[in-house]
Amino acid sequence: MTESSQGPSGVASRDIALVSVSIDLGAGRRGVDMGPSALRIAGIARELEAIGHRVTEFGTITAGGLETTAAGESALPFLEEVANVAERTRKMVESGLAGGCTPLVLGGDHSLSIGSVAAVAEYRRRRGESIGVVWVDAHADMNRPHTTPTGNIHGMSLAVLLGQGHPRLTGPVPSVRPENASVLGARELDPGEKKLIAELGVRVFSMSEIDERGVGACVDEALERANAGTAGFHLSLDLDALDPHIAPGVGTPVQGGLTYREGHLVCEKAARSERLLSLEVVEVNPVLDDRNHTAALAVGLVASALGKTIL
């Protein structure tokens, strides 16, 4: 990644590869495929350029429509199309990395992470390095085909990246080691997820723990895990991690989430670590939003993760 100069706000300038993934087939509710458009309307490229980054549009990946895409015979609906989109996402993110850019992926449902994180992991693996992941989400996304209550693949993404799941999705090598993975903001976990979390040793910071310890201490621990013996980390930001009172436009809202300032602190600490390799923002659903409020909030969070500060 290029960080050779400073922008007008003192932020180290990066070349940002902006990748859009319009998919909602991995989710149980329509609408998040329009998330990338909502984020653009909210001015994401303009905001990043204003703090000194150079933004390049790398392209848009569009999944087939629900009405025209075969669900398939698998217990996981739209498995083939989700896998296809993940592969196309992986290739596009790899192109951005090869060009010296920091990938920023706009979603779309969280199944796209199967491709985006795999791209960063493989890029670093070829250099003898590994990566960590900080998964900011109300859900752990650690179901497997035999534990999922819905069949929705966006609820399996992190498990897949850890090498657990359908072979059509997992690939030959896990993208992330469990000791380098953390979930921040969890408050709705399925029984099968709890079992896998315990088996693998993934660190999950529930909202109860965040309430008790404070978000700052939890983020510090998550970053320490993500950076232990790695080249850096990928930040996966699901907008349902925030409380639905401030982020109503998400596909799977759960009461009791992160506040506005807690969300920004997570992102500010990610930036201050100077170890952020790539990031994505997912599950923005403009169909359920109020005047694009959630997309505008997401733009602010991404800006914080990429170095924007109050002072």
Side-chain angles (χ1 to χ4, degrees), residues 210-288:
I210 289 172
D211 290 340
E212 186 170 349
R213 295 180 58 201
V215 70
C218 294
V219 175
D220 287 343
E221 186 179 334
L223 290 173
E224 183 178 356
R225 286 176 60 88
N227 290 317
T230 70
F233 69 97
H234 174 92
L235 178 64
S236 189
L237 183 61
D238 186 324
L239 264 289
D240 71 22
L242 280 81
D243 193 89
H245 287 98
I246 61 169
V250 299
T252 49
V254 184
Q255 294 294 325
L258 297 171
T259 67
Y260 175 88
R261 272 305 315 153
E262 286 174 333
H264 273 278
L265 183 58
V266 171
C267 294
E268 289 162 4
K269 280 182 170 287
R272 290 202 296 266
S273 74
E274 298 184 344
R275 302 272 292 174
L276 180 66
L277 301 174
S278 53
L279 69 161
E280 65 206 2
V281 56
V282 302
E283 301 285 351
V284 174
N285 191 332
V287 173
L288 304 173

Side-chain angles (χ1 to χ4, degrees), residues 70-266:
E73 298 180 3
S74 167
L76 309 182
F78 307 108
L79 172 63
E80 284 303 315
E81 181 66 0
V82 170
N84 178 269
V85 168
E87 178 61 16
R88 290 157 61 198
T89 300
R90 184 187 64 77
K91 290 179 179 178
M92 192 172 288
V93 170
E94 282 189 349
S95 295
L97 290 164
C101 297
T102 298
L104 168 56
V105 184
L106 311 180
D109 74 61
H110 220 156
S111 67
L112 66 85
S113 299
I114 294 169
S116 60
V117 180
V120 185
E122 177 58 27
Y123 180 80
R124 291 290 171 173
R125 191 179 297 119
R126 289 196 293 265
R127 289 155 178 75
E129 301 170 329
S130 61
I131 68 167
V133 65
V134 177
W135 200 268
V136 186
D137 201 325
H139 312 87
D141 296 343
M142 287 184 64
N143 268 303
R144 291 167 288 177
H146 67 281
T147 67
T148 173
T150 64
N152 296 330
I153 295 175
H154 75 159
M156 306 179 190
S157 306
L158 184 53
V160 167
L161 294 169
L162 293 162
Q164 303 287 323
H166 196 286
R168 183 69 178 87
L169 301 171
T170 54
V173 182
S175 295
V176 184
R177 296 190 299 255
E179 59 267 29
N180 296 129
S182 296
V183 179
L184 272 167
R187 53 196 187 277
E188 189 171 76
L189 303 176
D190 295 317
E193 292 181 296
K194 294 178 183 180
K195 182 178 180 181
L196 184 58
I197 288 164
E199 289 176 0
L200 296 182
V202 172
R203 185 70 167 91
V204 176
F205 298 90
S206 69
M207 282 307 304
S208 295
E209 182 174 354
I210 289 172
D211 290 340
E212 186 170 349
R213 295 180 58 201
V215 70
C218 294
V219 175
D220 287 343
E221 186 179 334
L223 290 173
E224 183 178 356
R225 286 176 60 88
N227 290 317
T230 70
F233 69 97
H234 174 92
L235 178 64
S236 189
L237 183 61
D238 186 324
L239 264 289
D240 71 22
L242 280 81
D243 193 89
H245 287 98
I246 61 169
V250 299
T252 49
V254 184
Q255 294 294 325
L258 297 171
T259 67
Y260 175 88
R261 272 305 315 153
E262 286 174 333
H264 273 278
L265 183 58
V266 171

